Amino acid sequence: MTDSKVRKLKGIAVSSGIIIGKAHLVDRSRVKILYQYLISDQQVNKEVERFKDALNAAKDQIIHLKNRMPEQIKRHSFILDTHLMIMDDSMFFNATINAILSEKINAEWALKKSVQNIEDLFSQIDDPYIKERIVDVEYVAERVLRNLAGKELESLYEINERVIIVAHELSPADTSSINIAKVMGFITDVGGRTSHAAIIAQSLKIPAVVGLESVTRQVQDGTLLIVDGNTGEVIIDPDDDLIILYQEKQLNQERFESSIIRLSHLPAETRDGHKISVRANIEFLEEVATAKDHGAEGIGLYRTEFHYLRSQGLPSEDELFEDYKEVAEIIAPNPVTMRTLDLGGDRFSSEISWTKETNPALGLRAIRFCLQQPRIFRSQLRAILRASAFGNIQVMFPMISGLQELLDSRKILKDVMGELDQEGLAYDRNIKVGLMIEVPSAVTVADILAKHADFFSIGTNDLIQYALAIDRVNTKVADMYQPLHPAVLRMVRDVVHAGRQAGISVAMCGEMAGDPLYIPVLLGLEVEEFSMNAMAIPVVKRVIRMTSLAKAKEIARQALLLHTVEEVNDYVTREMDRIFPDIFWFGRPLANNLRQ
Ligand code: PEP
Ligand code: MG
């Protein structure tokens, strides 16, 4: 019998898994701010002290949260450092005190004015990432306002029942303080796939659905909920039939996950004996262990921007060397492919002054930037080469669009080698040098490039963006970002062909390589190495082990005959659903939700 109270909402699934439990509403409504005129100097001085106290309390709270952050998410602690820095910023701190003193107004109103000024400034910035950082200023202001009102934010760490958190929005400080022993998962009214809360949920491996719009208005403390982090469905007050159905789904998913994890250390070999290398993409040294645990046979892409994105100055060569050396040592004898710096586009370092560009994705990015900033480039190459003496390192240049860039990059690498020779520093003289194929022009001249490289790695994230003219971070055109577009498949085919003719290996390290749906087609196109988010490795290995190269070639051949992306999608989805129903239902969300 269906209970009339049952309601279903659909949001954005950002972290996989199914949970059934009681709601715990977290009040994150904004503090009301009233204007107050202060009459005496004494009142004004007291108000300044009140503001300083609230601010210091906020700092203590954040430091406390930072110290208690669970191990799995420690690497995100820089967000909390940013919050501490905001509090010291003169536009936040001095401006508020000045407003209290000069306008004789209460601390709350003065802070509101400072935030408003910062918002006005941010609104003039074009860069969407920097623009979005205004939310951090707002989170910090809210924390200080709460302290001023004597209503400290409820810490999620204190929750001591097994519950599902329901909130309008969760700040980085909120998600950083989640106690995973108690919190089963969370759902929010706002938020997107790449929001900080989503990323943390993935790292903590707790199911989460965001963007539910009105869930906080429909749920009370204690309301029974089913949250499906695979599909984004949230069921409020489910009846018994639904509970039984989802318990079954939960069990199937758990069984599926433990079975693939168990098998993740077996080689990725097709049924007909074709061996594939499955590697991990990482951004931090700390991820190497997870990569190994999930069965990675090396690191196929080390995105090296992280050290340059923090705000304490550019990294020194020695600092980089230590980091690269450690990665190489941990993963040895397997290889690590170090991608040289890919700054620009949507990744900027505050330590480098950038001129404003109308189209940063088409601007001074990646290798173009490095070739214009040889000092920064050489320092990184020195670190990579020195680390190559301690493991199996390969070097890879991003965004190469034609031969001259490759030759110029190789020339600098050679110069740096000469420098190290003179200094008597060791490095791997036979280090493999490759490039990412992520600009359509590189596909067209892949045969020329292949003569000057040891390997290719196809970066589909950018290749699709540039080939289909779809901004990869623009949500308005997100559904037009189609990995199975006939143009993309033909490009992959052509790059593999060029690589084969020249006798060099062709890998893929874009997100496409980590989605089980695309694996048979890519196998059939004879991509030899797949590098992906570590979480996707067990599922991808399972698909490879269950496919034969002959069948994959047949799928690729059929797919290449189709003319529209819709036809290809239908065909590939049908095949996957038929051959691997469990992977299609459980494995795909699992692999897809765990992008970092
Ligand atoms: C790519 O473009 O596919 C890629 C792997 O590089 P990134 O996502 O770092 O640009
Ligand atoms: Mg790229």
Side-chain angles (χ1 to χ4, degrees):
M1 203 184 72
T2 318
D3 188 326
S4 58
K5 278 199 313 192
V6 178
R7 276 157 295 154
K8 289 188 184 173
L9 300 179
K10 183 95 168 87
I12 308 167
V14 293
S15 186
S16 72
I18 293 168
I19 39 176
I20 304 171
K22 290 200 174 138
H24 177 95
L25 266 169
V26 175
D27 175 20
R28 287 295 181 258
S29 56
R30 300 266 159 118
V31 176
K32 279 218 167 54
I33 305 171
L34 299 174
Y35 175 86
Q36 207 187 334
Y37 182 73
L38 309 169
I39 302 164
S40 69
D41 283 350
Q42 199 196 5
Q43 272 180 321
V44 170
N45 292 337
K46 260 176 100 180
E47 198 62 7
V48 170
E49 288 314 309
R50 199 167 78 85
F51 173 65
K52 285 187 182 164
D53 288 348
L55 193 98
N56 287 334
K59 282 187 182 169
D60 288 346
Q61 289 154 1
I62 295 205
I63 291 169
H64 188 59
L65 286 175
K66 208 181 136 194
N67 293 340
R68 249 186 1 203
M69 249 174 133
E71 232 9 81
Q72 306 92 303
I73 53 170
K74 274 239 153 68
R75 66 175 183 276
H76 298 288
S77 66
F78 69 92
I79 304 265
L80 298 183
D81 290 329
T82 312
H83 287 194
L84 290 171
M85 272 160 43
I86 291 171
M87 286 192 252
D88 284 332
D89 194 282
S90 67
M91 284 196 73
F92 193 90
F93 181 71
N94 295 349
T96 306
I97 293 184
N98 289 342
I100 301 174
L101 291 171
S102 61
E103 297 177 41
K104 297 191 167 209
I105 51 175
N106 56 327
E108 287 87 343
W109 202 262
L111 180 56
K112 181 181 149 149
K113 286 184 70 167
S114 307
V115 173
Q116 185 66 56
N117 287 338
I118 302 174
E119 275 170 355
D120 289 348
L121 199 74
F122 271 57
S123 68
Q124 291 160 29
I125 299 171
D126 279 338
D127 185 280
Y129 178 76
I130 300 180
K131 215 173 190 156
E132 250 183 44
R133 295 326 335 132
I134 189 65
V135 298
D136 291 310
V137 178
E138 288 163 354
Y139 286 138
V140 173
E142 192 58 27
R143 179 173 289 280
V144 178
L145 286 168
R146 286 246 171 190
N147 289 341
L148 284 166
K151 289 198 240 165
E152 203 182 304
L153 285 168
E154 177 195 7
S155 163
L156 305 192
Y157 194 79
E158 311 303 336
I159 293 173
N160 55 12
E161 266 184 297
R162 292 276 296 158
V163 287
I164 298 172
I165 290 180
V166 182
H168 178 66
E169 183 179 19
L170 291 176
S171 73
D174 283 329
T175 41
S176 308
S177 59
I178 279 178
N179 176 356
I180 38 172
K182 297 294 177 196
V183 171
M184 300 164 80
F186 65 79
I187 54 178
T188 58
D189 288 337
V190 298
R193 188 166 267 282
T194 54
S195 63
H196 186 78
I199 292 167
I200 297 272
Q202 292 155 14
S203 304
L204 291 172
K205 299 202 175 86
I206 55 171
V209 175
V210 301
L212 286 156
E213 292 177 3
S214 63
V215 69
T216 47
R217 275 182 272 131
Q218 307 209 32
V219 164
Q220 286 163 357
D221 261 341
T223 306
L224 190 64
L225 297 173
I226 296 177
V227 175
D228 187 339
N230 304 330
T231 61
E233 265 192 1
V234 170
I235 306 175
I236 304 170
D237 284 319
D239 57 25
D240 291 352
D241 291 348
L242 279 166
I243 294 175
I244 293 168
L245 178 74
Y246 275 84
Q247 275 171 339
E248 243 167 62
K249 283 191 181 191
Q250 207 177 23
L251 208 66
N252 286 339
Q253 176 152 12
E254 277 162 18
R255 272 199 212 115
F256 172 77
E257 282 181 28
S258 55
S259 77
I260 55 162
I261 297 279
R262 261 202 324 275
L263 303 175
S264 65
H265 292 276
L266 295 174
E269 194 172 317
T270 60
R271 281 170 186 257
D272 42 359
H274 185 71
K275 177 95 180 55
I276 298 292
S277 302
V278 175
R279 305 203 164 125
N281 294 350
I282 61 161
E283 276 170 68
F284 312 95
L285 161 69
E286 291 75 14
E287 289 173 299
V288 183
T290 316
K292 277 182 94 170
D293 288 350
H294 284 76
E297 298 148 359
I299 305 297
L301 170 66
Y302 185 0
R303 292 184 166 103
T304 57
E305 292 75 42
F306 174 67
H307 285 280
Y308 297 80
L309 298 179
R310 46 166 220 187
S311 49
Q312 306 104 303
L314 289 177
S316 69
E317 178 190 319
D318 280 348
E319 210 178 305
L320 296 176
F321 161 68
E322 289 299 337
D323 181 282
Y324 301 168
K325 170 174 174 271
E326 206 171 331
V327 172
E329 282 175 342
I330 304 174
I331 209 77
N334 284 320
V336 46
T337 303
M338 312 271 327
R339 178 185 66 192
T340 61
L341 208 47
D342 184 356
L343 287 178
D346 62 350
R347 287 180 278 233
F348 293 97
S349 160
S350 54
E351 297 302 310
I352 301 166
S353 55
W354 298 90
T355 35
K356 195 171 144 353
E357 295 175 304
T358 316
N359 283 313
L362 304 180
L364 192 61
R365 190 191 149 184
I367 202 67
R368 304 167 183 185
F369 166 81
C370 285
L371 291 173
Q372 281 202 14
Q373 298 273 348
R375 201 177 50 78
I376 297 178
F377 192 31
R378 291 175 84 99
S379 146
Q380 187 186 31
L381 291 176
R382 281 180 62 99
I384 295 175
L385 284 172
R386 284 171 57 199
S388 71
F390 297 86
N392 183 358
I393 286 188
Q394 316 192 131
V395 62
M396 173 163 80
F397 303 121
M399 284 269 295
I400 294 284
S401 61
L403 180 61
Q404 197 55 50
E405 273 168 349
L406 178 61
L407 296 179
D408 291 347
S409 310
R410 292 203 71 139
K411 160 102 182 35
I412 296 181
L413 183 71
K414 198 161 165 242
D415 285 354
V416 170
M417 286 178 167
E419 235 171 59
L420 296 182
D421 282 335
Q422 274 183 359
E423 293 167 37
L425 292 168
Y427 64 90
D428 175 5
R429 286 171 186 282
N430 300 316
I431 189 166
K432 287 203 171 124
V433 182
L435 63 137
M436 292 196 65
I437 300 283
E438 49 186 350
V439 180
S441 59
V443 177
T444 318
V445 296
D447 58 327
I448 300 174
L449 296 170
K451 297 198 175 81
H452 301 268
D454 299 313
F455 65 92
F456 285 157
S457 186
I458 306 176
T460 48
N461 305 345
D462 278 312
L463 186 59
I464 297 170
Q465 143 162 288
Y466 295 127
L468 304 185
I470 302 296
D471 181 349
R472 61 191 262 193
V473 293
N474 183 342
T475 47
K476 287 194 200 130
V477 286
D479 56 345
M480 291 162 77
Y481 190 91
Q482 296 283 10
L484 290 181
H485 193 292
V488 177
L489 296 185
R490 286 173 187 214
M491 285 192 191
V492 174
R493 175 196 64 191
D494 294 350
V495 174
V496 172
H497 179 72
R500 294 218 138 186
Q501 293 289 99
I504 66 169
S505 65
V506 179
M508 180 177 284
C509 62
E511 300 293 324
M512 189 177 181
D515 188 326
L517 179 64
Y518 308 134
I519 297 299
V521 143
L522 295 174
L523 269 180
L525 291 171
E526 296 188 72
V527 175
E528 299 161 305
E529 177 193 317
F530 295 81
S531 191
M532 66 205 70
N533 145 28
M535 304 298 169
I537 291 177
V539 190
V540 167
K541 275 195 166 176
R542 163 117 164 208
V543 174
I544 295 172
R545 290 176 58 79
M546 287 171 71
T547 317
S548 70
L549 185 63
K551 175 69 191 164
K553 280 188 176 168
E554 176 55 24
I555 293 178
R557 201 181 63 78
Q558 288 293 340
L560 280 168
L561 292 174
L562 301 171
H563 291 185
T564 67
V565 65
E566 290 75 14
E567 286 167 351
V568 184
N569 261 327
D570 282 353
Y571 168 66
V572 172
T573 308
R574 241 183 302 118
E575 284 296 302
M576 267 306 274
D577 199 10
R578 201 167 56 78
I579 319 176
F580 314 104
D582 58 345
I583 287 172
F584 191 71
W585 288 110
F586 302 120
R588 194 158 184 242
L590 178 72
N592 277 338
N593 284 342
L594 297 166
R595 306 248 177 270
Q596 295 192 24

